[in-house]
Amino acid sequence: MNTDDLNFAYKVRHALNDHLDELPAATTERLSAARKAAMARKKPHAPVQAAQTQLAGNIGALFSFSSLGRMSVAIPLMALVAGLAGIYQYEEQQRLEEIAELDAAVLSDELPLTAYLDQGFNAYLAQRAQ
């Protein structure tokens, strides 16, 4: 509960306590019976550390609704990141292969000598790199 909820609960409790003496006896008895029933159904108070330790060792906690809700957001995000990383790696590999092919052509002298003297050779290299 946040502070606004607690403040509201305290105000409601205070208002009920102020007018408690004006309530009819039947209403007071019904409220008393409802409180006793609620207290009977209340779970015993457990320390926070014990509850966390119990959940940490419980494999079933992985498949609870709250963890499934978190996983339903986390799994697609991880898949998206992995997909983007894969696309980046693939594009980088393609770029490196094109540069290696061009370097191999230059080193094996498959390009004519006039290509080195041509002013458009830099444009040709840029076009091949793209």
Side-chain angles (χ1 to χ4, degrees):
M1 293 181 101
N2 60 24
T3 55
D4 292 335
D5 291 340
L6 287 174
N7 287 336
F8 177 72
Y10 288 138
K11 287 178 184 178
V12 168
R13 185 183 71 180
H14 183 67
L16 288 173
N17 286 341
D18 283 346
H19 301 289
L20 184 62
D21 295 333
E22 299 170 11
L23 288 176
T27 304
T28 306
E29 289 173 11
R30 283 195 328 232
L31 285 173
S32 176
R35 183 176 191 285
K36 287 178 184 175
M39 292 301 287
R41 281 182 271 158
K42 181 183 176 287
K43 295 179 183 176
H45 179 68
V48 176
Q49 287 182 340
Q52 289 175 348
T53 305
Q54 181 183 9
L55 286 178
N58 187 0
I59 294 177
L62 291 174
F63 301 106
S64 67
F65 288 115
S66 63
S67 63
L68 287 177
R70 280 184 248 130
M71 280 193 277
S72 68
V73 172
I75 290 174
L77 284 176
M78 288 189 293
L80 177 67
V81 169
L84 289 174
I87 290 171
Y88 175 76
Q89 288 294 90
Y90 176 77
E91 292 294 327
E92 279 296 306
Q93 186 65 30
Q94 293 298 321
R95 187 179 69 81
L96 290 175
E97 287 176 5
E98 288 175 1
I99 291 173
E101 180 183 331
L102 184 62
D103 288 344
V106 169
L107 292 174
S108 65
D109 291 332
E110 291 179 10
L111 292 175
L113 290 177
T114 57
Y116 297 107
L117 300 174
D118 186 15
Q119 295 295 341
F121 184 62
N122 290 333
Y124 170 75
L125 291 177
Q127 179 186 10
R128 291 283 295 193
Q130 291 178 357

